[in-house]
Amino acid sequence: MSYGISRAAVLGAGVMGSGIAAHLANAGIPVRLLDIASSGDGPRDARARDAITRLLAASPSPFLTREAAALVSPGTLEDDLAQLADCDWIIEAVLEDLPTKQALYERLEAVRHDQAIITSNTSTIPLAQLVAGRSPAFAAHFAVTHFFNPPRWMSLLELVGGPATRPAVLDALQAFGDLRLGKRVVRCHDTPGFIANRIGTFTLQIALQDAIALGLRVEDADAICGKPMGLPKTGVFGLLDLVGLDLMPRVTASLLANLPPHDRYRRLVHETPIVATLVAAGFTGRKGGGGFYRITKRADGSKQTQVVDLASGALRDAGPPTLASARARHLRDLLAATDVGGELARRVLTQLWAYAFEVGPEIADDFASVDRAMRDGFGWTAGPFEMADALGLRAVVTLLEQRGEAIPPRLAAAVAAGGCYRVAGGALEQSDATGGWHAVRRPEGVETLADVTRRARPLEKNGSAALWDLGDRVLGVEFKAKMNALDGDVMQLLHRAIARAGQGDGAFGAIVLHNDGAHFSVGANLGVLLYAINLAAWRDAEKLIIAGQEAYAALRAAPVPVIGVHHGMALGGGCEALLHCDAVVAHVEATMGLVETGVGLIPGWGGCTRMLLRAIAAGDANDPMAAIVRTMELIGKAKTSKNAVDAKRLGLLMPHDVIVMHPDRLLDEAKRVAREMAPTYVPPTPARVRLPGTALVPVIEAGVQGLVAAGEATAYDAVVAGALARVLTGGEATLERTVRERDLLALEREAFLRLMREPKTRERVEHMLATGTPLRN
């Protein structure tokens, strides 16, 4: 039997419940959000209504659009439970209290339809306890779907079934969570805390306790138990502040109430007095006036960061880490450090590895499930078994032996097999408890560039880009500089990709621009531009601008379709690359924008041209005024989309561009689009448009001066806007004229190079490189 999900309900309108409802609505699913009825004179469903209002007011909002919010209907558990009769998926997200949940399930038995799936969002209560006393039909359709907060952005969804849960129910939840909600679904065993909370809270508690016992400063402990370990850069105390200091004792208490007597968690984790003191005083973290870190105001009104001294509990000004180990760049260096920070790292990691190898077989089917859960649920760059492999399993064994720890059987088996993971025949495999090897399996359609690089070598590469055979006659172009910044090497490889696709031998029928970095591209390499500015190397700068324009124009005119795969950020030149693609496959959370005015420039690689032509095509070609104003506002204000849906609204993405919920499905979808477009593809014809000339520029400049007078723009913003206006109106001619694409590109280039010579542009570029934020000079 297959289970379709077209309507849903969420019971409990707290932070998690309302967030889950919002994300279901983002996926286009009508949702009923119910909570207990309010007493008093107001509407009885005020709690659910207020939750929706809070979600809409939040910045950023858990809703992708206001239209999504309209799919959520408020109600009460007392009055509206019967309305759930048409819901295919009912998610319980009420108080973490077993009797409360069981009483609600009893009521649900009377209203759910025969095939309705019921799940709990519990993070601590075993499934077996939740369904105790329920009918066989209820238990057959019951599972745990543990979302992580905030549900829209956290990619992990832990899925737990019980002995009575139908396999088809779990398959339906996994497919829906993956394809519709964009989650990386990990199946867990029905054990306390499941995977992420079991391993993650243990690691946090051990790090917290050992940092205090060793007398470390908060700043040093967070630097050590952060990026060098592959843990979030917040470190231990910063992460506790983020999730809430009051949450950890509750999770720990629940785990201790359910863990078996022999569990290492029960033996090593204990209450930390300083946490109890802070919570009792109302300092529960970022949500409650601060925790271990506090932001306070000085007498002059400026802000300063203070931290809690772990020995005395008093506040002091925060400072940089002081231990040499806090500056370690790699795990091996951190573990070899001889100072107290190195000792902290050895204590934390040996306990983590001992625990992970002990309970791994209990909580999940394989290494990959645990590592995936830790990466996606707790933000680790590598899971415990991936970390162990990176260090070397024999080194892990040595560390455990030095601490007097017994070697867990699962670790011994992995050592005998030669590791937790290996690459064989171009595929990633993992070892099992018997020493055998099995492929790390993922759902069909999940593919990343890392999969390609494991099985092949690049066709060509240089310092900033590489070409890959992606299969299906698709040629991949990978940007691979820091933050995928763009330079002359990238432009060179773009030309090589077009040449290979145009050889006529049938090798490649499409080109896909894609990488596995955090962002598609943050734009041109500003360091190269600043170097040219400081040396007054204007000819070199012009060569770079011409190279970018020619490479992007060549993409536009390529004999095969070009598809951009957009994830993370696509800013400046990165956005311009996507604007020249025939189609874009974008992750729903991807953002993009032409932000050059923030550094005193305008888009110089065709961004002005492409956005103006799009705006004219979407409006009245005989009256381009509205298109010019719209493009002027988009580029002049350096507008950046909030997400891919918003990018379509702004015109940065086209109506035919594809939005994908799951980040690991982008490449497969791009290849599908490429296959569809290739057989009948014809390159676009260069456009010619009628533009009004500079007679319109004074009108635009008057509007900009109004913004300057209102304090919404600076005098130099007006200078940059004037240069942009001259490009968009068609140049120096005072009369209306027909303008070709190449004419607009020439105007872009001239304006860009002219602004480069301005001292205030240099100041903006320097400030952006130094701080990562725009300068309003």
Side-chain angles (χ1 to χ4, degrees):
M1 176 179 291
S2 61
Y3 292 85
I5 297 174
S6 59
R7 286 187 171 274
V10 178
L11 313 183
V15 172
M16 280 301 301
S18 60
I20 293 168
H23 197 54
L24 288 165
N26 292 337
I29 301 297
V31 188
R32 291 190 173 91
L33 178 63
L34 309 186
D35 207 316
I36 59 175
S38 297
S39 57
D41 298 331
R44 286 174 60 79
D45 61 0
R47 285 186 170 86
R49 288 181 180 275
D50 290 347
I52 297 169
T53 301
R54 286 195 302 272
L55 294 176
L56 282 168
S59 182
S61 172
F63 288 113
L64 274 169
T65 64
R66 297 193 73 85
E67 290 75 16
L71 291 173
V72 182
S73 305
T76 72
L77 293 169
E78 292 83 355
D79 303 335
D80 302 311
L81 216 60
Q83 293 184 15
L84 307 189
D86 63 349
C87 290
D88 307 305
W89 184 12
I90 302 171
I91 304 171
E92 170 269 304
V94 301
L95 184 70
E96 284 287 272
D97 175 71
L98 183 58
T100 300
K101 293 177 185 289
Q102 289 179 327
L104 181 57
Y105 299 157
E106 183 175 4
R107 297 175 62 201
L108 284 177
E109 288 249 35
V111 299
R112 61 174 287 271
H113 69 71
D114 290 345
Q115 303 305 315
I117 297 172
I118 313 293
T119 68
S120 175
N121 185 59
T122 183
S123 59
T124 57
I125 303 175
L127 181 148
Q129 296 180 24
L130 295 172
V131 296
R134 300 274 57 80
S135 70
F138 189 97
H141 292 84
F142 188 87
V144 169
T145 48
H146 179 213
F147 290 81
F148 282 69
N149 192 38
R152 173 180 161 185
W153 292 281
M154 293 296 288
S155 60
L156 177 63
L157 175 59
E158 290 183 321
L159 176 60
V160 185
T165 309
R166 289 182 179 174
V169 168
L170 295 176
D171 291 343
L173 289 170
Q174 177 154 0
F176 188 89
D178 176 341
L179 296 169
R180 296 295 298 275
L181 300 181
K183 299 302 178 187
R184 294 187 176 110
V185 182
V186 174
R187 293 204 184 189
C188 313
H189 296 170
D190 186 20
T191 57
F194 311 126
I195 297 175
N197 277 347
R198 180 82 168 270
I199 300 292
T201 57
F202 175 82
T203 306
L204 279 174
Q205 288 281 25
I206 293 299
L208 168 70
Q209 293 171 188
D210 284 341
I212 294 172
L214 291 169
L216 269 76
R217 298 163 70 244
V218 164
E219 302 94 321
D220 284 301
D222 279 350
I224 291 160
C225 299
K227 292 182 72 174
M229 282 190 188
L231 306 185
K233 64 181 181 181
T234 55
V236 177
F237 298 98
L239 183 57
L240 288 170
D241 278 359
L242 179 62
V243 301
L245 297 185
D246 55 336
L247 175 63
M248 189 61 64
R250 295 203 299 268
V251 173
T252 297
S254 178
L255 285 169
L256 293 177
N258 290 286
L259 288 171
H262 65 274
D263 196 88
R264 183 179 295 262
Y265 198 115
R266 183 180 297 281
R267 188 168 75 248
L268 295 179
V269 172
H270 54 76
E271 182 179 352
T272 310
I274 194 170
V275 172
T277 299
L278 290 171
V279 171
F283 294 109
T284 56
R286 295 187 187 182
K287 66 181 180 181
F292 288 101
Y293 290 88
R294 315 273 178 86
I295 305 297
T296 59
K297 281 190 176 181
R298 298 185 178 94
D300 61 3
S302 62
K303 294 181 179 180
Q304 67 175 347
T305 301
Q306 294 187 305
V307 295
V308 173
D309 182 89
L310 297 177
S312 67
L315 280 179
R316 59 171 176 78
D317 289 349
T322 58
L323 294 174
S325 54
R327 296 187 291 274
R329 302 176 71 89
H330 303 289
L331 185 60
R332 193 174 300 275
D333 297 335
L334 182 62
L335 288 169
T338 57
D339 62 13
V340 67
E343 175 62 14
L344 174 65
R346 289 185 289 275
R347 288 191 183 189
V348 172
L349 287 171
T350 51
Q351 291 298 333
L352 165 62
W353 283 322
Y355 195 50
F357 279 104
E358 283 172 0
V359 304
E362 174 191 336
I363 63 179
D365 288 336
D366 50 33
F367 289 137
S369 296
V370 176
D371 286 338
R372 173 93 275 170
M374 298 319 300
R375 292 198 306 272
D376 293 329
F378 271 68
W380 294 12
T381 57
F385 306 119
E386 292 167 325
M387 280 195 280
D389 257 12
L391 182 67
L393 294 188
R394 295 197 180 279
V396 172
V397 168
T398 299
L399 283 169
L400 291 176
E401 290 175 339
Q402 289 173 346
R403 297 274 163 183
E405 293 283 354
I407 305 305
R410 194 66 187 84
L411 173 56
V415 171
C420 299
Y421 298 95
R422 73 178 184 184
V423 176
L428 183 63
E429 296 183 340
Q430 58 184 321
S431 62
D432 62 23
T434 66
W437 289 90
H438 306 278
V440 175
R441 300 192 181 280
R442 293 175 300 175
E444 183 180 353
V446 169
E447 183 181 19
T448 66
L449 190 59
D451 298 318
V452 177
T453 62
R454 273 193 289 266
R455 63 177 181 255
R457 292 184 176 182
L459 302 173
E460 297 183 41
K461 67 176 181 178
N462 59 31
S464 300
L467 303 184
W468 298 92
D469 184 344
L470 301 179
D472 296 336
R473 299 183 60 242
V474 177
L475 177 63
V477 180
E478 176 195 16
F479 304 155
K480 58 189 186 74
K482 183 179 180 181
M483 299 290 282
N484 293 323
L486 305 173
D487 56 21
D489 281 352
V490 172
M491 304 311 165
Q492 181 187 47
L493 261 290
L494 289 175
H495 283 293
R496 291 295 302 141
I498 296 164
R500 280 179 173 267
Q503 286 175 351
D505 58 6
F508 298 106
I511 296 171
V512 167
L513 311 184
H514 177 55
N515 61 74
D516 278 349
H519 305 290
F520 174 76
S521 173
V522 296
N525 188 327
L526 286 181
V528 173
L529 284 178
L530 183 60
Y531 181 80
I533 291 171
N534 287 336
L535 293 182
W538 310 122
R539 187 174 297 275
D540 290 341
E542 184 176 18
K543 287 180 180 178
L544 178 60
I545 298 305
I546 291 173
Q549 287 191 348
E550 290 181 344
Y552 286 179
L555 282 181
R556 186 85 179 141
V560 298
V562 179
I563 294 89
V565 179
H566 178 24
H567 63 284
M569 294 188 295
L571 304 178
C575 179
E576 289 175 294
L578 295 176
L579 295 177
H580 286 80
C581 292
D582 297 292
V584 175
V585 174
H587 182 233
V588 67
E589 297 296 351
T591 62
M592 60 193 304
L594 296 167
V595 296
E596 286 86 348
T597 57
V599 290
L601 298 166
I602 67 165
W605 284 342
C608 300
T609 301
R610 294 257 54 83
M611 288 309 302
L612 177 61
L613 294 176
R614 285 187 178 190
I616 291 174
D620 184 354
N622 296 316
D623 182 15
M625 179 63 181
I628 291 171
V629 171
R630 180 178 175 183
T631 308
M632 186 80 198
E633 183 175 359
L634 176 77
I635 298 175
K637 292 185 177 180
K639 286 187 176 181
T640 302
S641 67
K642 298 180 179 68
N643 50 62
V645 178
D646 190 42
K648 283 197 173 186
R649 181 186 65 81
L650 293 173
L652 292 163
L653 289 178
M654 298 292 282
H656 66 265
D657 290 331
V658 180
I659 297 176
V660 175
M661 294 292 282
H662 198 303
D664 296 340
R665 293 185 173 276
L666 291 167
L667 180 55
D668 185 73
E669 180 65 16
K671 289 166 66 176
R672 182 197 65 78
V673 172
R675 291 193 301 271
E676 287 187 358
M677 294 182 68
T680 59
Y681 180 73
V682 177
T685 302
R688 299 164 66 94
V689 292
R690 298 286 292 176
L691 293 177
T694 53
L696 187 61
V697 171
V699 177
I700 296 175
E701 289 181 331
V704 175
Q705 287 300 328
L707 295 176
V708 174
E712 297 179 25
T714 69
Y716 193 59
D717 289 334
V719 173
V720 177
L724 176 60
R726 282 167 172 77
V727 174
L728 298 180
T729 55
E732 297 302 326
T734 58
L735 299 176
E736 182 182 50
R737 65 184 182 122
T738 299
V739 180
R740 299 165 296 183
E741 283 192 39
R742 66 185 186 187
D743 299 326
L744 287 170
L745 289 173
L747 291 171
E748 278 189 36
R749 184 169 64 249
E750 292 165 9
F752 189 98
L753 293 169
R754 188 164 60 249
L755 289 169
M756 273 187 71
R757 295 172 181 263
E758 294 284 347
K760 288 188 179 294
T761 290
R762 185 190 68 247
E763 292 172 7
R764 289 190 177 193
V765 174
E766 288 175 338
H767 190 272
M768 179 62 72
L769 285 170
T771 68
T773 59
L775 174 67
R776 299 300 305 279
N777 60 349

